[in-house]
């Protein structure tokens, strides 16, 4: 029989701690990558829809395009491509430049942050709250409502 050898508790604790740091770091990098790709995908989808709708310059055509596209995407990819979701994608392309989206993901903003921020009409206020989300590490909901020119916005 093999003999169980004594391992010093300090060495075992250090090994455990080091391995946990490796795993946690990898998980964090994976989450960042997935978030970046999700935000970019949604923005590119919105930009493509925007190009098609603007090319045809008809509001009714745009509504029908989004509805039909939603049905086909949902059949192929499942949940997540509802008309409402596609309208968020479209709104993101109307509100943000590609550079804005890349910058936002580099600051660790999520699609949920961006969906909330894109409905703040004033670009300066939008930038301020984007920075606050990043600096203050707001998850998806800031600690208080956001006042804007007599209105009250809530990032949710």
């Amino acid at each position: 029989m093999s003999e169980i050898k004594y391992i010093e508790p300090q060495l075992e604790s250090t090994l455990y701690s080091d391995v946990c740091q490796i795993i946690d770091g990898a998980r964090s990098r994976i989450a960042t990558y997935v978030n970046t790709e999700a935000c970019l995908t949604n923005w590119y989808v919105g930009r493509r829809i925007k190009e098609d709708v603007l090319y045809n310059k008809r509001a009714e055509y745009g509504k029908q395009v989004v509805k039909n596209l939603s049905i086909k995407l949902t059949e192929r990819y499942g949940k997540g491509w509802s008309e409402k979701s596609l309208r968020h994608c479209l709104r993101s392309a109307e509100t943000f430049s590609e550079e804005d989206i890349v910058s936002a993901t580099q600051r660790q903003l999520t699609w949920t942050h961006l969906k909330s921020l894109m409905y703040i009409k004033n670009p300066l206020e939008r930038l301020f709250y984007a920075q606050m989300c990043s600096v203050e590490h707001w998850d998806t909901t800031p600690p208080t409502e956001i006042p804007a020119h007599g209105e009250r916005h809530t990032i949710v």
Side-chain angles (χ1 to χ4, degrees):
M1 259 195 189
S2 66
E3 198 176 300
I4 298 176
K5 297 194 178 193
Y6 175 77
I7 300 173
E8 289 183 43
Q10 180 63 31
L11 290 175
E12 191 172 1
S13 176
T14 301
L15 172 63
Y16 174 74
S17 176
D18 290 349
V19 170
C20 287
Q21 285 179 348
I22 292 167
I23 293 168
D24 291 341
R27 285 181 171 180
S28 177
R29 288 187 305 278
I30 290 167
T32 299
Y33 177 79
V34 168
N35 175 62
T36 298
E37 288 303 310
C39 291
L40 288 171
T41 297
N42 290 335
W43 185 85
Y44 283 122
V45 165
R47 183 178 75 176
R48 182 61 185 89
I49 294 169
K50 178 181 160 187
E51 289 170 355
D52 190 76
V53 170
L54 285 178
Y55 174 76
N56 288 288
K57 298 179 184 174
R58 293 189 317 228
E60 281 306 311
Y61 171 81
K63 288 179 186 177
Q64 195 59 45
V65 164
V66 171
K67 182 178 181 178
N68 292 343
L69 185 59
S70 171
I71 291 167
K72 289 179 180 180
L73 290 174
T74 300
E75 285 174 3
R76 181 167 179 166
Y77 297 107
K79 291 182 178 182
W81 298 105
S82 67
E83 286 182 63
K84 183 177 181 180
S85 294
L86 291 178
R87 291 196 191 290
H88 285 308
C89 294
L90 180 57
R91 178 73 181 239
S92 74
E94 293 170 342
T95 306
F96 302 113
S97 68
E98 184 174 11
E99 183 180 325
D100 291 338
I101 293 295
V102 170
S103 174
T105 60
Q106 288 172 343
R107 290 186 310 225
Q108 305 292 309
L109 298 184
T110 65
W111 178 243
T112 303
H113 288 118
L114 294 173
K115 281 193 313 187
S116 299
L117 292 167
M118 67 183 141
Y119 290 98
I120 298 174
K121 292 180 182 175
N122 183 311
L124 190 56
E125 289 177 29
R126 190 170 41 246
L127 178 60
F128 170 78
Y129 288 111
Q131 290 173 340
M132 289 300 293
C133 287
S134 179
V135 170
E136 296 294 326
H137 303 289
W138 289 344
D139 52 12
T140 55
T141 307
T144 60
E145 288 187 334
I146 300 170
H149 301 305
E151 299 176 7
R152 298 196 55 85
H153 297 286
T154 302
I155 294 184
V156 281

